[in-house]
Amino acid sequence: MTHSEQSYSYHARAALILGLPLIGSHLAQFAIQIVDTVMLGWYGVEALAAVVLAGTFFFVLLIMGSGCAWAVMPMVASASEAGDDTKVRRVTRMAFWASGIVGIVVMPLLWWSEPLLLAIGQEPDLSAVAQDYLRIAGWGLFPALGIMVLKSYLSALERTRVVLWGSLFAAGLNALLNYALIFGNFGAPEMGVRGAALASLIVQMAAFLGLAIYAAKALPEHTLFHRLWRPDWEALREVTRMGSQIGLTSLAEAGLFSASTVVMGWIGTLELAAHGIALQIVSAFFMVHIGLSNAATVRAGRALGRKDEAGLRKGALAITYISLLFGVISVVIFLGLPHQMIGLFLDPTEVLRDDILRVGTSLLAVAALFQFADAAQVMALGLLRGVHDTKVPMIIATISYWIIGMPMSYLLGISWGFGGEGVWMGLVIGLAIAGVFMSWRFWTRSSRIGQA
């Protein structure tokens, strides 16, 4: 029986077998940010707000630079299904090159982040602490980009369990180092924000080395690191072309949320802290959709390698239903347990605890509105990447998020006086428009194998 003749239940099981470890790895990786937020929330609200700014700034640059790493996933999946090991090696090696170049270009922005944060209206004290954090944690951009290349490579080859175990190890190590370096436990100095930054840097380096050693030993036929210094200009151009489109698409979405953080900073420190906590919660749930989207990219890429349009459509429908089902669960939790989730990020003795809970709860109520739109857009985006359709999604994302979503956030939040809830309603509008048009793009055009 061919892939196209398999039942929807078969495709759903195959997607979950591939996707569940990826979901776990994304959650484990995200736990690094969560632990930073929780422990710094215990350390102090100002420290938390500063690292929300710093983390947002770092995340935007990481997302922008990760396009070439993400391009590895569909390209390696298609090449592997077609039996082209040479292309697997060429694409992955040049993704390391492209990611390294990006790191060199953006590192000065992390080092001199304080004047940039001040220029966009952030408070001087918060901007100074954010720069202290980024001057340490920023060096982790290089291993972080390398990790994303290796994760994409291993995921495309359906070696997702090692990706999961590597991410779990990194999350555990980060929690231990944070506990030691932020608060001065286990005989370590109390470093506060700088301790969190140092912990993140150490973890990124360890995780990259671990995955690199595994890839070299478990997949010797690809010789990824043999003569890595030698350029392959054709493969570099191919990776860069697709990677730049993916990177700009991801930057459009990540930039939308990051810009909302900036707007929250204009409203006030209290609102910024509540926004940072609520955004961490929403992002943690979003990691499930990201993992499923990655699985969709791999499955679609392999369908492309087989020229199997019918199998692609069945698999796409099955994994989309799974994502929407989780969206229903997310809505129930956001509306039913907001205080319990937000309270995890705050010291019980924090004097602003009740105010942060109030603002954060209202933000999660708004977040419940965009769960289905967000699930639809990220799933369609993953499927489009799988069939190597990346240019039009980039245009859709830019229009939806920046021409419509961000202006609405500003108008609702600042101009019309709805505050944090208005800012988040603008996010709902942008995500909903993106979800509709990206889904339409996939189901009407890009599911035609070889014509995307």
Side-chain angles (χ1 to χ4, degrees):
M1 184 180 293
T2 66
H3 287 79
S4 59
E5 295 171 334
Q6 300 286 2
S7 66
Y8 286 105
S9 61
Y10 165 82
H11 285 285
R13 285 194 303 271
L16 286 173
I17 289 171
L18 179 62
L20 286 175
L22 290 173
I23 291 170
S25 70
H26 283 300
L27 287 170
Q29 181 68 28
F30 188 71
I32 293 176
Q33 294 173 255
I34 291 289
V35 168
D36 285 353
T37 303
V38 170
M39 292 193 179
L40 286 165
W42 292 342
Y43 195 76
V45 171
E46 287 193 0
L48 170 61
V51 174
V52 167
L53 277 180
T56 299
F57 194 67
F58 180 89
F59 182 70
V60 168
L61 295 178
L62 176 63
I63 289 297
M64 182 181 67
S66 296
C68 293
W70 283 328
V72 167
M73 194 176 290
M75 295 174 76
V76 167
S78 299
S80 176
E81 189 71 15
D84 190 350
D85 284 344
T86 300
K87 185 170 184 179
V88 169
R89 176 175 63 251
R90 294 174 65 201
V91 164
T92 308
R93 289 171 63 172
M94 288 303 99
F96 282 123
W97 269 60
S99 297
I101 292 169
V102 169
I104 292 170
V105 170
V106 304
M107 187 61 202
L109 299 178
L110 294 168
W111 189 261
W112 288 289
S113 54
E114 182 178 2
L116 296 175
L117 294 171
L118 290 172
I120 57 175
Q122 299 306 303
E123 295 181 9
D125 290 345
L126 295 182
S127 299
V129 176
Q131 178 172 275
D132 285 344
Y133 178 89
L134 289 170
R135 284 193 168 184
I136 300 171
W139 293 104
L141 182 67
F142 293 97
L145 290 171
I147 289 167
M148 298 190 81
V149 172
L150 288 168
K151 283 186 174 181
S152 292
Y153 162 76
L154 293 168
S155 298
L157 299 175
E158 301 191 8
R159 291 177 176 259
T160 54
R161 289 186 180 181
V162 68
V163 173
L164 171 60
W165 288 114
S167 299
L168 287 171
F169 168 77
L173 179 61
N174 180 72
L176 183 66
L177 290 174
N178 261 317
Y179 185 68
L181 296 173
I182 292 176
F183 301 101
N185 293 309
F186 307 128
E190 180 181 341
M191 299 176 65
V193 167
R194 291 176 178 171
L198 181 59
S200 295
L201 174 59
I202 294 171
V203 168
Q204 299 284 17
M205 294 173 64
F208 173 74
L209 288 174
L211 286 177
I213 291 169
Y214 173 85
K217 293 193 172 184
L219 296 159
E221 65 272 20
H222 293 154
T223 59
L224 286 185
F225 303 102
H226 182 62
R227 296 182 179 178
L228 183 60
W229 61 87
R230 294 184 62 180
D232 181 340
W233 300 116
E234 181 182 354
L236 182 60
R237 282 193 298 271
E238 188 176 1
V239 168
T240 303
R241 181 171 59 251
M242 181 181 288
S244 61
Q245 293 169 356
I246 292 175
L248 289 172
T249 302
S250 301
L251 179 62
E253 181 177 5
L256 175 69
F257 285 92
S258 299
S260 71
T261 299
V262 173
V263 175
M264 284 293 201
W266 294 340
I267 296 174
T269 299
L270 170 66
E271 288 78 8
L272 179 60
H275 167 82
I277 292 173
L279 194 56
Q280 293 279 12
I281 293 169
V282 171
S283 299
F285 279 76
F286 187 62
M287 292 300 105
V288 176
H289 297 298
I290 289 287
L292 291 172
S293 178
N294 291 158
T297 297
V298 173
R299 303 263 313 150
R302 289 191 171 275
L304 178 65
R306 297 190 305 270
K307 305 296 181 185
D308 179 11
E309 180 180 335
L312 170 66
R313 284 181 171 272
K314 281 188 176 181
L317 196 58
I319 201 166
T320 298
Y321 280 145
I322 294 171
S323 184
L324 290 175
L325 176 61
F326 182 76
V328 173
I329 296 171
S330 301
V331 170
V332 172
I333 295 174
F334 285 171
L335 295 179
L337 300 171
H339 280 210
Q340 292 85 337
M341 291 189 294
I342 296 169
L344 293 173
F345 292 80
L346 296 168
D347 189 324
T349 63
E350 171 58 52
V351 294
L352 296 176
R353 180 184 174 88
D354 290 341
D355 291 329
I356 293 174
L357 283 171
R358 174 180 51 79
V359 176
T361 297
S362 65
L363 295 181
L364 286 182
V366 177
L369 295 176
F370 65 68
Q371 288 308 296
F372 300 112
D374 215 8
Q377 65 89 15
V378 75
M379 192 54 55
L381 192 57
L383 291 164
L384 289 166
R385 288 177 183 173
V387 294
H388 299 190
D389 184 2
T390 54
K391 183 177 180 180
V392 171
M394 174 185 68
I395 296 171
I396 292 172
T398 302
I399 294 173
S400 300
Y401 301 144
W402 285 98
I403 295 181
I404 300 172
M406 194 61 239
M408 288 306 300
S409 282
Y410 183 85
L411 285 173
L412 289 167
I414 302 295
S415 299
W416 297 343
F418 289 101
E421 293 86 347
V423 172
W424 278 48
M425 281 302 302
L427 303 181
V428 173
I429 294 169
L431 289 168
I433 292 172
V436 169
F437 282 98
M438 286 187 184
S439 297
W440 174 84
R441 171 72 180 177
F442 175 76
W443 289 107
T444 60
R445 295 193 58 184
S446 293
S447 54
R448 299 170 188 173
I449 295 286
Q451 298 178 23

